[in-house]
Amino acid sequence: MGLTPPEEPFAYISQDRGLLTLKIREPALMALFFLAFIVVGVVFFLLLEKQADAGADAAMNVGYLILAVFGGLGLVGLGIALRRWAWKREYVRVMGRSPWS
């Protein structure tokens, strides 16, 4: 009787094909990568906020856009990474090895 591994969420991320050329299998690295997106978005927003305080009123509009794009992408990616992290832990518990070994 063989063990049935849990189904991989977002399995396309681990595959070598498709439009997504960025392949980060390890959920911890993926979480760090997308956390960096959030940090970059916040840093750019704060820089543009400083410019808006100095009189560049349109800078805030660009700041909100950058925060939404980088922060939104970062939050979605972080959510995917956390879901895959839970899946990997379950996979190791059931199968006794990493899914990529």
Side-chain angles (χ1 to χ4, degrees), residues 11 33 65 81 88 94 97 101:
F33 179 79
L65 178 66
K88 182 184 176 196
V94 170
R97 63 177 176 81
S101 61

Side-chain angles (χ1 to χ4, degrees), residues 27-93:
L29 292 175
M30 180 181 260
L32 288 174
F33 179 79
F34 284 107
L35 186 61
F37 266 70
I38 295 169
V39 169
V40 166
V42 169
V43 167
F44 279 140
F45 176 78
L46 292 174
L47 290 173
L48 289 168
E49 184 180 44
K50 187 182 285 188
Q51 292 298 317
D53 289 344
D57 296 329
M60 280 310 293
N61 294 334
V62 174
Y64 288 127
L65 178 66
I66 288 175
L67 185 61
V69 170
F70 278 86
L73 183 61
L75 286 175
V76 168
L78 195 57
I80 290 171
L82 292 176
R83 176 66 189 104
R84 287 177 52 89
W85 201 337
W87 163 78
K88 182 184 176 196
R89 282 193 343 257
E90 180 66 13
Y91 188 99
V92 169
R93 186 186 71 74

